[in-house]
Amino acid sequence: TYKNQKSQTEKTISDTKTQIANYNQDLANAQKDLEVSEALLEQGAASQKEVDDLKEKVTTINQSIQQAQQTISLSEASLKTIDLQIKNAQYNLDVLQNKVTDQDKQVQIAAKESEIKELQNRLYTANNTVEKASTQVVAPIDGVITYLPDEEGMSLAAGSQLVTIVD
């Protein structure tokens, strides 16, 4: 039912917000570790690989945060769609029960047309965001790709290793 879908979507948003909070904590820790390792590298007490690994970790966490934020945006758009479906079902019920007058219908039609235009704009924006997110991956360093585990067009889970790059 629509109410179950709405409840599941709200839970997804809540869980994802918690996940973002955890990512932000992980990011703060990784950035601190990176600063320490860079200072140690300057003193010769850490290797460049350690610093590079931490840079990669920071980049990966940032990407995970962006993906989680996109999940929230898409889930919020889905919530709006579900709310419209609920309102539409209620309206249809009211029509069947002869509770809606012609004046009410005109006002509701105008409001629905406005909502549809807004949702179409949001859907267009969300599709563009997803398209951009799925078509561009930027490495934190310059180098040569030495390992490419997945085929073009495949979906990956957040935090998955995309490639191995060697300076």
Side-chain angles (χ1 to χ4, degrees):
T1 66
Y2 293 131
K3 290 184 180 183
N4 288 342
Q5 288 177 344
K6 184 175 181 175
S7 177
Q8 286 178 325
T9 304
E10 288 170 339
K11 183 174 180 347
T12 297
I13 290 171
S14 175
D15 291 349
T16 305
K17 285 181 178 180
T18 300
Q19 191 177 34
I20 287 174
N22 292 337
Y23 285 147
N24 282 327
Q25 184 61 44
D26 291 346
L27 179 61
N29 291 337
Q31 287 171 331
K32 286 177 188 174
D33 291 346
L34 178 58
E35 288 174 15
V36 169
S37 289
E38 286 175 333
L40 290 173
L41 177 64
E42 288 178 16
Q43 298 172 2
S47 70
Q48 183 64 48
K49 181 175 178 359
E50 290 174 287
V51 172
D52 290 344
D53 288 348
L54 286 169
K55 284 181 181 178
E56 182 179 332
K57 183 176 181 179
V58 167
T59 300
T60 300
I61 293 170
N62 277 322
Q63 289 172 347
S64 296
I65 290 171
Q66 289 174 351
Q67 288 173 345
Q69 288 169 336
Q70 288 174 355
T71 297
I72 288 174
S73 295
L74 294 174
S75 294
E76 287 173 344
S78 178
L79 261 183
K80 289 187 185 274
T81 301
I82 291 167
D83 284 338
L84 284 176
Q85 290 170 332
I86 290 170
K87 287 178 185 177
N88 187 41
Q90 183 62 50
Y91 174 79
N92 289 337
L93 179 61
D94 289 346
V95 168
L96 289 173
Q97 294 175 342
N98 294 319
K99 292 182 181 178
V100 178
T101 66
D102 286 339
Q103 177 82 14
D104 290 340
K105 288 178 185 176
Q106 290 174 352
V107 169
Q108 289 179 352
I109 287 170
K112 295 298 178 192
E113 287 173 344
S114 175
E115 287 180 45
I116 288 170
K117 287 180 183 177
E118 173 66 23
L119 286 172
Q120 286 172 333
N121 288 338
R122 288 182 183 206
L123 179 60
Y124 177 79
T125 301
N127 282 337
N128 283 341
T129 301
V130 168
E131 186 177 310
K132 286 178 185 176
S134 64
T135 59
Q136 183 178 13
V137 176
V138 178
I141 60 171
D142 290 334
V144 176
I145 295 174
T146 59
Y147 175 69
L148 187 61
D150 293 304
E151 297 295 322
E152 183 176 332
M154 292 182 67
S155 296
L156 297 172
S160 295
Q161 179 180 356
L162 296 176
V163 297
T164 300
I165 299 175
V166 176
D167 289 351

